[in-house]
């Protein structure tokens, strides 16, 4: 299959270099408002940057307003085994990760496969702010204001074929930058998977920011998955590959400890994890514990996806 490239603007739409290099001066001069009408043409040059748009993301209908977990806690209490297994290892070690430039490969059962620069991928997305609960299997949770866009929007641009039944995600494998990958902790690279209907569900997002800023490295920069009705381990970080296929994949944790982790990872307080009970959770930054809600509280939106399944068996 031929590699797909996002369409390039025709030469007539590319701003001449001298004009582009004078854009700051132009914008200063435009303070009067007179020259502003021409501004969109200037911004459609290669100087375009997605990072500046994060703070303007629109809140969506799925947003759960609640007490957000303080940003400092979200950035310092993490799971990211590529940087160590301790909760404070990622924020100490993840600065080594170079997130710009970044490539994302989209492969397998799609008509338009290829490897794309992240800037190009994000150029086509409208960012939204989604405040979602993240629930971890070890029974802690956070409420995080993510900035991202629906995974479905990206997948649709690449035309999945009728054989696309599952989506597999892979994290970067580079022990130079991710030092704990030199150790035999997991079978690197870290992998996750979703069923196609879960991947296309509007609650599922690819996040590139939180609290209106670029995603911190320890939280999965530059792009990570967020599936709010599932345990955190479905939130694969620093994604370099999205692969569509017919067979159900085996995700990293399922391969590692099949008696503890299933493919679905749907938050289910009725099912005990062999080493923890799942009925209550500790919200990071709060005293005491809360009762855990099935589907992490998103049941009205997603319960129908599992109607015919026994979720204590399909963990
Ligand atoms: N992604 C990769 N590549 N490596 C990991 O170790 N840990 C997962 C998930 N994504 C992990 C990962 C787990 S177990 C959790 S709970 C969440 O990331 C934690 O996300 P946070 O640190 O941003 O809160």
């Amino acid at each position: 299959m031929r590699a797909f490239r996002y369409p390039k603007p025709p030469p007539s739409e590319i701003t001449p270099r001298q004009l582009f290099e004078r854009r700051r001066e132009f914008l200063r001069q435009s303070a009067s408002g007179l020259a502003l009408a021409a501004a969109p043409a200037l911004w459609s040059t290669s100087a375009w940057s997605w990072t500046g748009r994060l703070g303007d993301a629109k809140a969506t209908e799925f947003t759960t307003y609640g007490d957000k977990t303080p940003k400092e806690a979200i950035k310092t209490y993490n799971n990211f085994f590529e940087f160590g297994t301790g909760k404070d290892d990622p924020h100490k070690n993840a600065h080594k990760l170079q997130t710009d430039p970044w490539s994302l490969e989209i492969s397998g059962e799609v008509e338009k496969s290829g490897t794309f620069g992240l800037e190009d991928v994000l150029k086509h997305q409208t960012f939204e702010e989604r405040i979602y609960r993240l629930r971890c299997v070890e029974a802690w949770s956070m409420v995080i204001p993510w900035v991202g866009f629906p995974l479905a929007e990206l997948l649709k641009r690449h035309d999945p074929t009728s054989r696309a039944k599952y989506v597999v995600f892979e994290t970067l494998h580079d022990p130079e930058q991710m030092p704990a990958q030199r150790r035999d902790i997991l079978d690197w690279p870290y992998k996750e998977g979703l069923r196609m209907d879960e991947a296309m569900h509007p609650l599922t997002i690819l996040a590139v920011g939180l609290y209106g800023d670029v995603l911190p490295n320890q939280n999965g920069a530059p792009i990570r998955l967020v599936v709010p009705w599932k345990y955190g381990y479905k939130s694969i970080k620093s994604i370099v590959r999205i692969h569509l296929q017919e067979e159900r994949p085996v995700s990293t944790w399922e391969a590692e400890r099949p008696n503890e982790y299933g493919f679905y990872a749907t938050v289910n307080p009725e099912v005990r994890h062999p080493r923890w009970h799942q009925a209550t959770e500790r919200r990071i930054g709060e005293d005491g514990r809360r009762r855990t809600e099935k589907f992490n509280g998103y049941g009205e939106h997603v319960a129908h996806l599992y109607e015919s399944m026994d979720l204590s068996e399909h963990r």
Side-chain angles (χ1 to χ4, degrees):
M1 199 170 294
R2 235 163 27 91
F4 169 76
R5 304 237 160 269
Y6 287 116
K8 288 220 162 45
S12 60
E13 279 182 23
I14 299 176
T15 307
R17 188 182 181 107
Q18 309 88 297
L19 193 54
F20 158 69
E21 281 167 353
R22 278 180 44 222
R23 70 195 190 285
R24 276 180 196 284
E25 191 195 334
F26 170 85
L27 284 173
R28 251 198 323 273
Q29 286 169 1
S30 73
S32 66
L34 276 177
L36 272 180
L42 286 181
W43 291 120
S44 69
T45 67
S46 58
W48 183 88
S49 156
W50 56 274
T51 51
R53 285 167 50 205
L54 294 178
D56 297 330
K58 299 246 174 341
T60 76
E61 55 181 309
F62 291 121
T63 288
T64 302
Y65 290 99
D67 292 336
K68 287 181 262 181
T69 303
K71 190 174 180 180
E72 234 4 72
I74 298 173
K75 287 166 58 177
T76 53
Y77 192 86
N78 300 100
N79 275 340
F80 200 169
F81 278 34
E82 286 83 342
F83 296 103
T85 52
K87 297 280 183 265
D88 58 351
D89 287 336
H91 94 271
K92 285 197 220 133
N93 301 328
H95 58 274
K96 298 195 177 100
L97 180 65
Q98 291 294 326
T99 57
D100 183 17
W102 191 267
S103 296
L104 187 62
E105 184 188 349
I106 302 183
S107 59
E109 293 296 343
V110 283
E111 298 295 345
K112 297 168 182 169
S113 59
T115 300
F116 310 94
L118 189 64
E119 290 260 326
D120 277 341
V121 173
L122 298 182
K123 204 175 249 176
H124 302 283
Q125 307 302 335
T126 306
F127 296 140
E128 298 170 18
E129 187 187 59
R130 307 260 184 119
I131 305 178
Y132 279 167
R133 283 181 283 265
L134 177 93
R135 169 69 161 77
C136 274
V137 81
E138 302 112 309
W140 53 269
S141 65
M142 294 186 185
V143 177
I144 304 178
W146 301 108
V147 181
F149 56 90
L151 169 64
E153 299 301 316
L154 176 69
L155 296 180
K156 278 186 223 153
R157 289 185 66 85
H158 293 270
D159 289 351
T161 72
S162 58
R163 287 185 300 279
K165 302 280 192 299
Y166 292 91
V167 187
V168 191
F169 304 84
E170 262 178 47
T171 294
L172 177 72
H173 186 207
D174 183 354
E176 287 289 310
Q177 298 192 66
M178 297 179 148
Q181 285 180 334
R182 294 203 195 96
R183 289 157 42 205
D184 195 15
I185 308 170
L186 295 173
D187 183 16
W188 314 111
Y190 193 100
K191 287 193 203 62
E192 258 311 339
L194 292 177
R195 210 170 59 191
M196 199 63 187
D197 56 350
E198 299 175 324
M200 298 303 280
H201 193 285
L203 277 177
T204 302
I205 57 167
L206 285 171
V208 290
L210 58 82
Y211 269 107
D213 290 335
V214 174
L215 210 56
N217 283 2
Q218 58 270 35
N219 294 93
I223 186 160
R224 62 95 62 80
L225 183 67
V226 181
V227 193
W229 69 97
K230 302 211 173 231
Y231 289 110
Y233 64 92
K234 282 278 167 186
S235 299
I236 181 170
K237 299 178 170 183
S238 306
I239 299 169
V240 290
R241 185 162 180 245
I242 298 180
H243 183 83
L244 283 74
Q245 64 186 42
E246 194 157 14
E247 321 76 57
R248 179 167 90 67
V250 178
S251 54
T252 292
W253 285 106
E254 190 188 3
E256 202 67 29
R257 302 203 192 134
N259 59 329
E260 293 186 25
Y261 305 101
F263 173 77
Y264 283 93
T266 290
V267 174
N268 191 349
E270 294 148 21
V271 174
R272 233 194 102 91
H273 178 278
R275 289 184 285 141
W276 299 276
H277 77 79
Q278 313 258 35
T280 65
E281 66 201 52
R282 179 173 64 95
R283 179 83 34 101
I284 301 296
E286 272 182 15
D287 295 330
R289 299 185 73 83
R290 297 169 172 248
R291 217 172 44 79
T292 291
E293 292 177 70
K294 195 164 182 185
F295 299 108
N296 213 13
Y298 299 90
E300 68 174 294
H301 303 293
V302 300
H304 67 276
L305 299 177
Y306 310 99
E307 245 157 30
S308 58
M309 291 171 64
D310 177 354
L311 282 180
S312 55
E313 199 174 311
H314 296 280
R315 286 170 298 118

